[in-house]
Amino acid sequence: MDGYCSRDPEWKKEFVRYIDEERKVSKERFPVMALSTVDLDGRPSVRMVSPRGFVGDGFLKMSPKDTGQWTSDILTFCTHAQSNKVSELVNTPDVHLCCWLPNTGVQIRCSGHAHLLFHPDNPNYSTLSLDIRHRVWPRDNTQAESHEAEQDKKNARIAGGPMEPTCQDVEIDDEYIREQAFLHHSPVIQAWYSWPPPGRVRLADPSLYPSSIPNIDDKSEAEKYEANARRNYVLIFVDINKADIVNLNRYTRMLYTRRSDTSWSITEVNP
């Protein structure tokens, strides 16, 4: 991960600290998390997902012009457009994510609202319902931060006090973010998105299940599978509003709740 910056909410700082500690042993970029949704019959549904990271961090740049000067607390993961979780999230966007970091003895739980971004060629495509701009801020020691600091001073002179940063200068290209997430999968995972819908009866034709699209000899067939994979790729943005972080080695538990003004309350409770 890219670490955290001073403007990150405290829950993200703790999240990143513990994951970085865990990586010293596990070498995983991001922990696998359990995703809980509500199925169409109103029952809980849970499965493991591998988050792609926070928007603005690592390869999830916000636009081709983003050189790493912006970050956010929007967590992302991906799925097949025809998976059950898509219909569940469209019906009920409330989600809960949980992971256990065995080497650090830490459990992290996050809850929030899921916003789906489909490929433009997908029949379900619509513009992203989440305005990321309100969840973005400059990284420390970047040109963006310096510019925003100057704007804050200007606002203070005009209004007689500090004003909430607006990050109007950041360019956000939703489709670029989704494309970068897709490109940074392995060829095996990319190929999986070209397969028939998950959870359905497996078909007898092995050609429907390529293990790697670049290994397909027929270029026209390879292009067809790649186009299908991209069309089936959905990036999900989770706008976190609560986090619960338990450290069983230190016997601490912290609850983080986002207020209506986007600030965060922090409460220490019994583990």
Side-chain angles (χ1 to χ4, degrees), residues 43-114:
R43 298 173 299 191
S45 178
V46 66
R47 78 288 287 158
M48 307 306 292
V49 296
S50 181
R52 306 304 289 150
F54 292 98
V55 173
D57 293 354
F59 53 78
L60 289 179
K61 299 294 186 288
M62 301 190 189
S63 75
K65 295 181 180 179
D66 183 1
T67 58
Q69 66 266 46
W70 304 100
T71 186
S72 77
D73 60 357
I74 302 297
L75 190 61
T76 63
F77 64 93
C78 52
T79 191
H80 194 291
Q82 300 180 70
S83 70
N84 289 335
K85 73 173 74 66
V86 166
S87 56
E88 292 172 3
L89 291 172
V90 168
N91 187 60
T92 307
D94 298 311
V95 298
H96 204 103
L97 291 153
C98 180
C99 70
W100 167 248
L101 307 178
N103 298 300
T104 53
V106 170
Q107 174 186 267
I108 300 173
R109 294 193 293 169
C110 302
S111 60
H113 299 287

Side-chain angles (χ1 to χ4, degrees), residues 121 194 222:
D121 291 341
S194 71

